[in-house]
Amino acid sequence: MRTRFWRQRTNIISATLTLIASLLLTGCFGNDEEDWNGKNISGLMPELEFDLINSQGKSVSGDDYSGRVRMLFFGFTSCPDVCPTALQKLNQVTSGLDPELQDEVLTLFVSVDPKRDTPERLAKYVDFFGDNIVGLTGKEPQLRQLAKRYRTTFGYEEPGPDGNYAVSHSSAIYVFDREGDPRLLMRSDLSAEEIRHDLVALIQEDS
Amino acid sequence: MSLLDYLLPYDFSPLTVLSYMLVMGFYGVGLIRMPDQDRPGSLRIFAFTLGVLICYAVMQTRFDYYAQYMFFVHRGQHLILHHIGPILIALSNPLPVLRFWFEKIRPGWRRALRPLGWVYQVLQQPFIALFLFVGLIYFWLWPSIHFDAMLSRELYWVMNWSMLLDGLLFWWLIFDPRPPAITSSLGYGRRMLVLAAAGVLQMFLGAWIVFSRDMVYDVYEVCGRAWPLDPEVDQLLGGMLTYIPPAMMSILGILLMLRRAMHQDGKYTNQSKQLEETAS
């Protein structure tokens, strides 16, 4: 009885073991040879998709910027420190790339403060941080949807006597490859060199 | 935001809503249809309903939003899913309802379901149950795994469901109302040992979070908080929720077990003695 049981199941067992072994060998479990500075988020999040308006006031979607390595960053133009520092750093990163690589990357700055950040104001703001950057915003529900998709959120402080208010938002940079698949999450305290290293690796891996 | 926004799920999960509806549906129909003498009293029905409702509330209302973007709310969510909810459900003793439905299953189906019973028996070995209960808390709070779980929607759901199911298994093992003297349920001494061990192991982890000087769980920093709260305060509150209430619940559980053990002390042994005497 017992031997028959095993004989019948040997095929299934060996097939399962082969499958597991091949999965392990081919690296389907996120085996990543590249030594990233950012955090590898392959498979943890959905591909890049959004429905927003750009700084010319035109509605755009994720496909409009496809084919490039994209860095997504949430912020607002009245942001005192985090956003300017991060955008300045990203400008440094892209302008330090070889000229032929510069067009392969794009920074997407999403303002989560649509009340104050009109497309015109956004355009002026992002132009200050170089050429390879696009300012995006939208209605609050659209922005909430995008933030939820990437497991982040934002919140508004009560306005002070001068009408100014702080906005809490993600401090991370989400990096997507050419296909729009999520690849890395960069903390804003990484240096420009560290970010550049990862970007170059991403640009070169599938070109 | 209107009241409805607070009551509707932040991240709607049809499977979760369906599971809760099935549980409440089967419980309610079972209650109505079962013979009067088997039916649990109103306090027990209330405890069961409350246990199920608070678990549902932390998974499928606005609470879940705050749990995703605040560490201490997340710890509160797991306190309910892994402790308070399952404790209420186990103490309500839904066994009569389960028995009612089990008797409705056809014998052929019952045979087919037997492997499930074997798995259950393995999971309810005291050492395995303790390992699973504490292991899951440590696993999901392991900083790199916690980071991934908060970033990935799928992992997040796996995390919450695994905590709830394991909580139900563990607290049912502990609060099983069947007296161990005459049934196969775990002895009171072992139950108390398991509870004490679980309490101490959770206190280690909680104390480590509370007394950590650096940020252990920075995913909330990276992904933004629901409102601008000082990260250190968030971590401290979350650590305290991991540290104090679970330890208190272990002690309360031990006291409850002591009470039950003293209550039943001699009850069954005297009975068997009497039986022996009448027999001789």
Side-chain angles (χ1 to χ4, degrees):
Chain A
M1 247 343 250
R2 234 186 142 78
T3 41
R4 218 177 79 201
F5 172 85
W6 282 110
R7 212 172 295 149
Q8 278 173 352
R9 273 154 186 77
T10 319
N11 286 335
I12 303 171
I13 293 169
S14 57
T16 321
L17 285 178
T18 322
L19 186 73
I20 293 172
S22 55
L23 279 175
L24 284 171
L25 286 173
T26 51
C28 282
F29 291 124
N31 171 23
D32 203 335
E33 280 157 36
E34 182 64 47
D35 200 8
W36 303 108
N37 292 313
K39 162 146 179 60
N40 189 346
I41 53 165
S42 308
L44 288 180
M45 288 188 175
E47 69 278 13
L48 184 62
E49 224 179 82
F50 54 79
D51 174 23
L52 298 169
I53 53 168
N54 65 9
S55 52
Q56 276 83 51
K58 274 195 292 192
S59 65
V60 284
S61 74
D63 296 336
D64 290 322
Y65 305 103
S66 62
R68 297 206 238 178
V69 172
R70 279 147 293 170
M71 298 188 279
L72 178 72
F73 184 73
F74 295 91
F76 62 116
T77 64
S78 327
C79 181
D81 41 25
V82 183
C83 314
T85 323
L87 293 179
Q88 188 59 49
K89 200 182 280 172
L90 292 185
N91 187 25
Q92 251 178 44
V93 169
T94 46
S95 53
L97 288 169
D98 292 336
E100 68 268 24
L101 295 184
Q102 282 186 15
D103 287 339
E104 303 288 332
V105 275
L106 186 67
T107 301
L108 304 172
F109 175 72
V110 179
S111 163
V112 290
D113 184 18
K115 237 182 252 165
R116 283 183 291 182
D117 292 345
T118 56
E120 300 78 51
R121 184 164 163 167
L122 197 57
K124 231 186 264 169
Y125 187 74
V126 294
D127 283 349
F128 183 73
F129 294 105
D131 301 325
N132 294 310
I133 177 166
V134 174
L136 300 169
T137 188
K139 296 210 171 65
E140 200 184 321
Q142 293 174 309
L143 294 166
R144 290 265 169 221
Q145 206 185 354
L146 179 68
K148 185 173 170 182
R149 190 175 169 89
Y150 296 105
R151 313 290 291 177
T152 177
T153 187
F154 51 90
Y156 306 113
E157 203 185 53
E158 282 300 313
D162 51 354
N164 277 333
Y165 52 90
V167 180
S168 67
H169 59 89
S170 159
S171 65
I173 301 147
Y174 297 76
V175 187
F176 297 83
D177 64 16
R178 278 174 222 274
E179 278 76 44
D181 290 324
R183 297 300 298 274
L184 298 169
L185 188 74
M186 308 249 196
R187 305 175 50 112
S188 47
D189 55 9
L190 286 181
S191 72
E193 286 72 39
E194 286 169 321
I195 299 176
R196 195 179 298 130
H197 163 268
D198 284 7
L199 277 190
V200 170
L202 270 184
I203 294 170
Q204 285 173 345
E205 82 174 359
D206 44 15
S207 58
Chain B
M1 269 178 54
S2 67
L3 183 68
L4 202 62
D5 286 325
Y6 283 102
L7 290 178
L8 287 176
Y10 171 64
D11 189 1
F12 176 57
S13 156
L15 197 65
T16 304
V17 175
L18 186 73
S19 316
Y20 277 97
M21 276 163 62
L22 283 177
V23 166
M24 284 316 288
F26 274 105
Y27 188 75
V29 173
L31 278 184
I32 294 167
R33 289 224 202 131
M34 73 197 320
D36 284 344
Q37 69 270 18
D38 292 347
R39 192 175 297 132
S42 50
L43 185 69
R44 276 168 62 191
I45 297 174
F46 174 73
F48 181 87
T49 314
L50 184 68
V52 173
L53 273 184
I54 56 173
C55 288
Y56 175 84
V58 296
M59 283 170 108
Q60 287 287 281
T61 65
R62 190 76 189 165
F63 190 98
D64 183 49
Y65 166 78
Y66 295 105
Q68 288 188 26
Y69 301 113
M70 281 294 187
F71 179 64
F72 86 91
V73 185
H74 154 78
R75 290 318 302 152
Q77 182 187 44
H78 277 197
L79 188 66
I80 285 175
L81 288 179
H82 206 209
H83 289 84
I84 301 172
I87 286 176
L88 282 170
I89 292 170
L91 283 177
S92 82
N93 181 14
L95 208 55
V97 184
L98 287 175
R99 209 176 278 134
F100 170 81
W101 283 113
F102 186 72
E103 278 158 10
K104 293 266 180 287
I105 303 175
R106 282 206 210 109
W109 276 98
R110 258 188 244 178
R111 250 195 308 277
L113 285 174
R114 211 173 283 164
L116 221 65
W118 297 334
V119 174
Y120 174 79
Q121 270 162 16
V122 171
L123 292 180
Q124 294 300 65
Q125 295 297 311
F127 188 76
I128 295 175
L130 173 70
F131 179 79
L132 271 179
F133 185 77
V134 180
L136 268 180
I137 305 175
Y138 275 73
F139 178 77
W140 292 118
L141 278 177
W142 200 260
S144 59
I145 289 166
H146 190 75
F147 201 102
D148 284 6
M150 298 315 280
L151 285 187
S152 157
R153 188 167 174 233
E154 285 78 23
L155 274 182
Y156 182 77
W157 280 109
V158 171
M159 170 172 76
N160 282 352
W161 267 107
S162 66
M163 290 305 264
L164 175 59
L165 293 178
D166 177 63
L168 287 170
L169 279 175
F170 181 82
W171 293 105
W172 179 249
L173 178 73
I174 297 296
F175 291 134
D176 192 334
R178 294 168 297 177
I182 50 166
T183 63
S184 59
S185 69
L186 193 64
Y188 290 128
R190 283 190 181 177
R191 295 191 199 191
M192 287 186 256
L193 270 181
V194 168
L195 274 175
V200 170
L201 290 169
Q202 287 178 90
M203 280 157 82
F204 275 131
L205 181 64
W208 174 67
I209 299 172
V210 166
F211 295 113
S212 280
R213 284 278 150 266
D214 348 296
M215 285 314 293
V216 187
Y217 301 105
D218 51 358
V219 63
Y220 304 89
E221 189 84 330
V222 173
C223 288
R225 287 192 158 75
W227 68 88
L229 179 75
D230 184 3
E232 274 159 28
V233 175
D234 189 16
Q235 181 162 302
L236 183 73
L237 288 175
M240 281 183 347
L241 280 177
T242 316
Y243 188 4
I244 301 167
M248 278 171 24
M249 269 173 250
S250 272
I251 292 171
L252 284 178
I254 290 173
L255 289 177
L256 212 66
M257 282 309 108
L258 266 175
R259 182 173 165 271
R260 261 195 216 170
M262 286 159 73
H263 234 58
Q264 288 170 9
D265 221 5
K267 195 169 163 192
Y268 298 105
T269 40
N270 286 348
Q271 243 174 25
S272 45
K273 254 185 220 155
Q274 277 166 7
L275 280 175
E276 271 165 33
E277 275 163 21
T278 44
S280 58

